[in-house]
Amino acid sequence: MSLIPSFFGGRRSNIFDPFSLDLWDPFEGFPISTTLASAPSSAREISAFANTKIDWKETPEAHVFKVDVPGIKKEEVKVEVEEGRILQISGERSREQEEKNDQWHRMERSSGKFLRRFRLPENTKTGEIKAAMENGVLTVTVPKEEEKKSEVKAIDISD
């Protein structure tokens, strides 16, 4: 994670990727977080599960995002486009209900909300975004506009 803040709000997960916008707290896990201590509880909950792993690749036809969301139903995930070009992927994994007679030995799976935001390049067709979920992986496909080929026009030279 980078300590360099993004100009678009949030923080970048990769300093070489200007499009990645993550919610990240460098003091997460400490008893008193100076950054999130005064934040609303919703921001703390989002930060707790912001480690959702996402791959973003660009093909000649589209930008493809693959999100690991094991154990989450498609109804618990939202894919949205904000402000025209900000792709937002969010959701929530609920904590398993504790029964009175259960004795937990270990609880390692994350629970809580997650929110990841990405600024899409200008050559994307945001009205044609498709999303599919299979085997705990959400795939979001953002088609690209076809590149306009420069047309060469011959100009007649007059005498």
Side-chain angles (χ1 to χ4, degrees):
M1 296 273 171
S2 168
L3 295 176
I4 301 172
S6 168
F7 296 105
F8 311 116
R11 295 194 179 268
R12 294 191 215 159
S13 65
N14 181 342
I15 61 171
F16 302 109
D17 183 3
F19 300 112
S20 177
L21 306 173
D22 293 336
L23 295 175
W24 177 68
D25 180 15
F27 301 104
E28 182 180 354
F30 286 99
I32 298 175
S33 171
T34 57
T35 308
L36 288 177
S38 60
S41 63
S42 61
R44 288 191 298 270
E45 290 170 3
I46 289 170
S47 178
F49 195 41
N51 293 349
T52 302
K53 305 296 183 209
I54 296 184
D55 295 336
W56 176 4
K57 73 176 178 179
E58 182 177 354
T59 67
E61 299 82 30
H63 292 270
V64 180
F65 297 82
K66 292 201 179 248
V67 186
D68 286 342
V69 286
I72 297 181
K73 299 177 193 139
K74 71 178 186 176
E75 295 81 18
E76 299 171 324
V77 177
K78 281 202 276 186
V79 179
E80 303 168 307
V81 177
E82 291 184 341
E83 300 171 17
R85 285 198 2 246
I86 307 273
L87 176 68
Q88 178 171 298
I89 302 170
S90 62
E92 182 173 4
R93 178 181 292 137
S94 302
R95 184 173 289 249
E96 195 168 321
Q97 295 292 356
E98 294 184 30
E99 296 295 326
K100 195 168 193 158
N101 298 329
D102 291 346
Q103 179 181 358
W104 288 88
H105 293 281
R106 186 174 299 268
M107 186 177 258
E108 294 181 345
R109 295 183 304 146
S110 327
S111 63
K113 297 178 183 179
F114 68 91
L115 171 68
R116 299 290 302 272
R117 301 176 77 195
F118 300 91
R119 183 171 299 279
L120 297 171
E122 290 186 25
N123 67 342
T124 55
K125 296 179 183 178
T126 56
E128 298 178 22
I129 295 175
K130 294 191 179 359
M133 178 103 75
E134 185 177 343
N135 297 327
V137 177
L138 172 68
T139 303
V140 179
T141 305
V142 183
K144 292 168 52 177
E145 293 177 353
E146 293 181 25
E147 290 185 31
K148 296 174 185 154
K149 299 189 179 191
S150 58
E151 191 175 300
V152 177
K153 183 178 175 184
I155 308 296
D156 290 332
I157 301 173
S158 60
D159 296 329

